[in-house]
Amino acid sequence: DAGVIQSPRHEVTEMGQEVTLRCKPISGHDYLFWYRQTMMRGLELLIYFNNNVPIDDSGMPEDRFSAKMPNASFSTLKIQPSEPRDSAVYFCASSLALAVGSYTFGSGTRLTVV
Amino acid sequence: GQQLNQSPQSMFIQEGEDVSMNCTSSSIFNTWLWYKQEPGEGPVLLIALYKAGELTSNGRLTAQFGITRKDSFLNISASIPSDVGIYFCAGQQTSGSRLTFGEGTQLTVNP
């Protein structure tokens, strides 16, 4: 398996623009997680899905952030409008419900909002 | 919510030295995981622990699941330059629940 695939790897955008981050989980994994990593706050869980259904979005910073999982092989995290404080590395991870050792991260998207 | 306190925050050591880091919580966890993150990449699983008291090795790495189920330890023996990175602990309270991550330990190994 190719692992969790995220795109793009790097994104530079201007404040106010819409940003869409993409994730393809490992085939067969039924959980998908979106994290944000910054120096100040470390790894923060934003939202996670089980069988394509959002389970907990309490980590989503504000209404500018939204996430969708239209099918088992694709998820998006959208920021609209983007702000400089959104600059961070965004990770997607997937896992099997009963196999915590299967929890696998993608390589991340480094977002810079100028 | 539950928090994991990881220490130390950073370590600067000489090649060949042994390293110890730990993770503690006020809550009980049923599973402990240790991850390593290298620059520009996502965290990669090193060791998973499933039972209190369990001691598991992966090459020069050894991790232990504390008896109280509120802590875990990671040791690296005879460090080498490629051990550089950020090491994260993570805990899971019940099967299928989300992972809680520690703040990470930044390890620097001087040749």
Side-chain angles (χ1 to χ4, degrees), chain B:
Chain B
Q2 60 271 22
Q3 288 186 318
L4 295 183
N5 300 307
Q6 191 170 346
S7 65
Q9 284 190 329
S10 61
M11 302 182 74
F12 297 84
I13 62 170
Q14 292 296 126
E15 183 177 0
E17 290 183 4
D18 296 344
V19 173
S20 291
M21 60 190 79
N22 68 78
C23 208
T24 61
S25 175
S26 57
S27 302
I28 288 175
F29 287 87
N30 288 328
T31 303
W32 286 92
L33 306 168
W34 284 92
Y35 287 83
K36 178 187 178 186
Q37 183 180 20
E38 297 186 3
E41 297 298 328
V44 174
L45 182 65
L46 298 173
I47 293 178
L49 302 161
Y50 300 100
K51 287 167 52 175
E54 180 180 354
L55 188 71
T56 298
S57 293
N58 179 4
R60 292 177 296 103
L61 277 62
T62 301
Q64 184 161 24
F65 192 144
I67 289 291
T68 64
R69 294 196 285 157
K70 294 182 178 181
D71 56 11
S72 180
F73 305 86
L74 176 69
N75 296 314
I76 305 173
S77 63
S79 59
I80 58 178
S82 62
D83 290 334
V84 165
I86 304 175
Y87 292 79
F88 290 97
C89 63
Q92 186 185 49
Q93 292 194 302
T94 57
S95 178
S97 67
R98 53 187 282 181
L99 290 182
T100 300
F101 282 85
E103 303 98 329
T105 294
Q106 173 74 60
L107 177 65
T108 302
V109 181
N110 297 311

Side-chain angles (χ1 to χ4, degrees), chain A residues 9 31 35 37 43 45 48 56 91 97-98 100-101 103 105-107, chain B residues 31 33 35 37 40-43 45 50 88 92 95-96 98-99 101:
Chain A
R9 286 298 308 271
Y31 277 81
Y35 287 86
Q37 186 178 39
L43 268 170
L45 178 65
Y48 73 97
D56 183 353
F91 287 104
L98 299 179
V100 68
Y103 208 104
F105 284 82
S107 297
Chain B
T31 303
L33 306 168
Y35 287 83
Q37 183 180 20
E41 297 298 328
L45 182 65
Y50 300 100
F88 290 97
Q92 186 185 49
S95 178
R98 53 187 282 181
L99 290 182
F101 282 85

Side-chain angles (χ1 to χ4, degrees), chain A residues 34-54:
Chain A
W34 281 102
Y35 287 86
R36 177 171 68 178
Q37 186 178 39
T38 61
M39 289 291 291
M40 291 297 293
R41 301 172 70 90
L43 268 170
E44 301 175 271
L45 178 65
L46 300 177
I47 185 172
Y48 73 97
F49 296 82
N50 177 218
N51 292 323
N52 314 337
V53 176

Side-chain angles (χ1 to χ4, degrees), chain A residues 58-79:
Chain A
S58 59
M60 296 286 261
E62 47 197 272
D63 291 346
R64 297 184 297 106
F65 285 68
S66 63
K68 294 182 179 179
M69 192 166 185
N71 57 63
S73 60
F74 183 65
S75 177
T76 59
L77 178 67
K78 186 177 293 187
I79 308 172

Side-chain angles (χ1 to χ4, degrees), chain A residues 7-25:
Chain A
S7 64
R9 286 298 308 271
H10 303 273
E11 176 82 36
V12 180
T13 190
E14 291 186 345
M15 183 173 63
Q17 296 297 306
E18 177 180 296
V19 174
T20 300
L21 312 181
R22 297 172 176 80
C23 176
K24 178 178 172 15

